[in-house]
């Protein structure tokens, strides 16, 4: 856990002294519900199986920087047809197995810790969590889920999920308020799908340029000295559009995936927790 998180998780007891970090972790562990792990894992696996081909296309577009040595695609449909013609169905599902394991484990752990941190923060309070508290809870869940591969990638990756969950929780709260229902009431599938889509679009719009920079750093056909070099060369050769290259196929992929994942999680978790009415 980061130093910031450690400081946030210290609380004053009746004598005014701070509760040790280990005590805070023990309190947090009491809110861990493995039903959330199973529900998140289910959502991640199902969405990956359905939408893996679009994820592959997103990567192909992200590394397509105009070099003649690469296949050139006119759009999503043309890219899919080209891969199908040259590589068949196996080409469209290239790398699906590690993606299934990765997405399932990632979503499962994220939902597990996110909901535990939310419950920990809510403990002993009658008021609902604020947007800022949802943002912090989602950011902290990302730190629990895995060690970030470096400060900047970890910071941006955590920010994406934090922005998404903050927006999603806010939309759920406002929708239940509009319907004059408790904030954690079960909503319809269409409502969950709509709120998941809006929250994902917002998070992608803010953080997508980082994904392009990361993809190009990992590209073996180009040699970059670092993040600054990628940014400078992308800006010089392609302008602002270069940082959003592939965003349309990315949105086509991530929005349905997010909707499926959140819809499955909301329903499976409530079913396992006995809250499905």
């Amino acid at each position: 856990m980061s130093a910031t998180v450690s400081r946030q998780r210290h609380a004053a007891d009746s004598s005014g002294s701070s509760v040790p970090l280990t005590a805070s972790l023990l309190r947090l562990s009491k809110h861990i519900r493995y039903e959330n792990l199973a529900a998140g894992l289910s959502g991640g696996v199902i969405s990956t199986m359905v939408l893996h081909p679009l994820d592959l296309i997103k990567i192909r577009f992200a590394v397509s920087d105009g070099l003649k040595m690469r296949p050139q695609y006119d759009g999503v449909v043309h890219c899919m047809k080209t891969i199908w013609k040259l590589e068949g169905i196996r080409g469209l599902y290239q790398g699906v197995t590690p993606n299934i394991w990765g997405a399932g484990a990632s979503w499962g752990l994220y939902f597990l810790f996110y909901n535990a941190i939310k419950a920990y923060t809510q403990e002993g309070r009658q008021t609902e969590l604020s947007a800022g508290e949802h943002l912090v809870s989602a950011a902290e869940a990302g730190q629990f889920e895995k060690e970030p591969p470096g400060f900047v990638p970890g910071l941006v990756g955590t920010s994406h999920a934090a922005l998404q969950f903050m927006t999603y929780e806010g939309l759920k709260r406002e929708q239940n308020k509009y319907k004059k229902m408790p904030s954690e009431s079960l909503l319809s599938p269409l409502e969950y799908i709509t709120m998941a889509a809006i929250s994902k679009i917002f998070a992608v719009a803010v953080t997508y340029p980082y994904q392009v920079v990361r993809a190009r750093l990992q590209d073996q056909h180009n040699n970059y000295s670092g993040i600054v070099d990628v940014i400078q060369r992308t800006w010089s050769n392609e302008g602002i559009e270069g940082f959003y290259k592939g965003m349309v196929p990315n949105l086509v992929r991530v929005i349905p995936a997010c909707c499926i994942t959140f819809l499955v999680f909301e329903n499976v978790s409530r079913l396992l927790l006995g809250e499905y009415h």
Side-chain angles (χ1 to χ4, degrees):
M1 190 186 302
S2 66
T4 301
V5 174
S6 299
R7 288 194 296 271
Q8 291 172 337
R9 289 305 174 204
H10 278 68
D13 60 19
S14 58
S15 63
S17 60
S18 62
V19 178
L21 176 60
T22 52
S24 296
L25 290 174
L26 286 174
R27 284 177 53 201
L28 177 64
S29 67
K30 295 178 182 179
H31 296 287
I32 288 179
R33 304 296 299 270
Y34 291 102
E35 293 87 349
N36 290 325
L37 173 66
L41 188 148
S42 299
V45 169
I46 292 172
S47 65
T48 300
M49 284 293 295
V50 173
L51 299 165
H52 179 77
L54 289 176
D55 192 36
L56 180 70
I57 290 172
K58 181 203 73 172
I59 295 173
R60 296 286 179 97
F61 271 101
V63 300
S64 178
D65 53 7
L67 297 179
K68 293 183 179 180
M69 68 181 68
R70 304 180 185 281
Q72 301 299 309
Y73 305 115
D74 296 329
V76 175
V77 175
H78 178 249
C79 181
M80 185 172 291
K81 286 182 177 179
T82 302
I83 295 173
W84 176 273
K85 182 178 179 180
L86 296 177
E87 306 172 55
I89 187 68
R90 299 180 69 177
L92 291 173
Y93 278 91
Q94 187 177 21
V96 69
T97 300
N99 276 1
I100 287 175
W101 285 104
S106 180
W107 278 114
L109 290 172
Y110 201 98
F111 276 113
L112 174 73
F113 288 117
Y114 174 65
N115 283 278
I117 293 169
K118 277 204 309 178
Y120 174 94
T121 306
Q122 185 76 52
E123 187 178 310
R125 289 174 44 178
Q126 299 299 319
T127 57
E128 296 180 354
L129 299 185
S130 66
E133 287 172 322
H134 281 299
L135 182 72
V136 171
S137 296
E140 291 180 1
Q143 296 300 315
F144 272 105
E145 177 202 354
K146 60 185 177 181
E147 287 297 322
F151 176 74
V152 173
L155 177 63
V156 177
T158 300
S159 298
H160 178 100
L163 290 168
Q164 178 185 346
F165 274 76
M166 178 192 71
T167 306
Y168 179 74
E169 293 284 3
L171 291 170
K172 283 202 305 181
R173 182 177 61 248
E174 291 304 314
Q175 180 66 4
N176 277 311
K177 186 184 297 183
Y178 172 76
K179 297 172 70 174
K180 298 180 180 179
M181 299 167 60
S183 60
E184 293 300 323
S185 297
L186 181 66
L187 298 171
S188 70
L190 180 59
E191 287 171 317
Y192 283 129
I193 288 171
T194 301
M195 292 182 291
I198 293 173
S199 64
K200 175 56 75 172
I201 290 172
F202 174 69
V204 169
V206 174
T207 62
Y208 186 78
Y210 157 74
Q211 297 184 40
V212 172
V213 172
R214 181 180 64 179
R216 294 191 175 190
L217 277 174
Q218 296 172 342
D219 180 15
Q220 297 180 352
H221 294 281
N222 264 318
N223 294 316
Y224 296 104
S225 60
I227 293 176
V228 174
D229 185 30
V230 176
I231 294 173
Q232 289 177 338
R233 288 166 62 179
T234 300
W235 178 266
S236 176
N237 296 330
E238 304 166 70
I240 188 65
E241 293 182 1
F243 294 100
Y244 286 92
K245 201 168 189 179
M247 190 174 74
V248 172
N250 177 56
L251 286 172
V252 171
R253 163 63 176 86
V254 299
I255 291 176
C258 178
C259 293
I260 293 171
T261 301
F262 277 66
L263 179 61
V264 171
F265 170 80
E266 294 285 3
N267 286 275
V268 173
S269 63
R270 290 174 184 273
L271 181 64
L272 295 176
L273 291 167
E275 299 173 354
Y276 202 97
H277 303 295

